[in-house]
Amino acid sequence: MDHHDHHDDRPDLDHRILTALHARGAAPGVAAAARVLSLAGEHGALWLAAGLAGAAVDRERRGAWLRGTALTAGAHLASMGVKRLVRRPRPGHVEPLVRTAGRHSFPSSHATSAAAAAVAFGALGAHVVPPLAAAMCLSRLVVGVHYPSDVAAGAALGAMTARLGARWMTGGRDHG
């Protein structure tokens, strides 16, 4: 090991990927879009609103939309609990483009609720949600408030939560 820092390759890769994606925020349009996504995703707000809108519009499947919204909220709460246990500090080597609700980085709660919504609402035919959720996940790196591993872990937690609740969401019919 000939370099001066005593990290394994994983944090270095995390740092390098974050630095590269954060640099994309130098473009004003990219920074603005990432900031809007960050604000909209705070506390899972965009996804909770989408679920409630789905319930209002799709009366036949109102219950499924409401249960999907509950799964999304539950995934978000789970991520906040994991954050309190892990207590990983947010990246310090890049200048954040947004303020954050908390100081802990792992997992990304934005990514958790986004992935939960992508799985839950995607199963109900809301095909715009998965690409929007992917953009939300990427935005957390562009604004410089999470490492890629935070986003990946959050997305996995959210997707797993929604997938485990799929039968409950659809009233016992598994569409997966």
Side-chain angles (χ1 to χ4, degrees):
M1 191 152 100
D2 58 348
H3 44 267
H4 61 279
D5 61 4
H6 299 291
H7 295 103
D8 62 16
D9 287 337
R10 200 152 165 207
D12 290 341
L13 184 60
D14 242 7
H15 279 75
R16 284 199 306 267
I17 292 170
L18 172 58
T19 301
L21 287 170
H22 183 275
R24 301 293 166 248
V30 174
R35 281 191 181 104
V36 166
L37 284 167
S38 284
L39 183 62
E42 202 63 53
H43 307 294
L46 173 65
W47 313 116
L48 301 178
L52 295 176
V57 172
D58 186 358
R59 291 194 174 110
E60 273 187 28
R61 297 185 300 171
R62 177 172 285 154
W65 279 99
L66 292 174
R67 288 187 292 273
T69 304
L71 285 170
T72 301
H76 189 82
L77 290 172
S79 73
M80 291 169 61
V82 174
K83 257 186 205 226
R84 290 203 169 112
L85 291 173
V86 175
R87 307 178 80 77
R88 181 184 197 185
R90 291 195 185 269
H93 70 287
V94 294
E95 186 66 36
L97 301 180
V98 294
R99 288 188 174 170
T100 57
R103 64 184 191 274
H104 299 124
S105 189
F106 184 93
S108 165
S109 294
H110 277 70
T112 303
S113 55
V119 170
F121 304 152
L124 293 172
H127 301 298
V128 71
V129 175
L132 188 56
M136 177 75 71
C137 289
L138 273 175
S139 78
R140 304 310 284 162
L141 303 172
V142 171
V143 298
V145 296
H146 284 290
Y147 294 103
S149 57
D150 301 332
V151 172
L157 176 61
M160 184 179 71
T161 301
R163 190 65 200 109
L164 288 173
R167 280 184 90 82
W168 172 70
M169 187 184 91
T170 58
R173 297 177 311 280
D174 191 359
H175 296 292

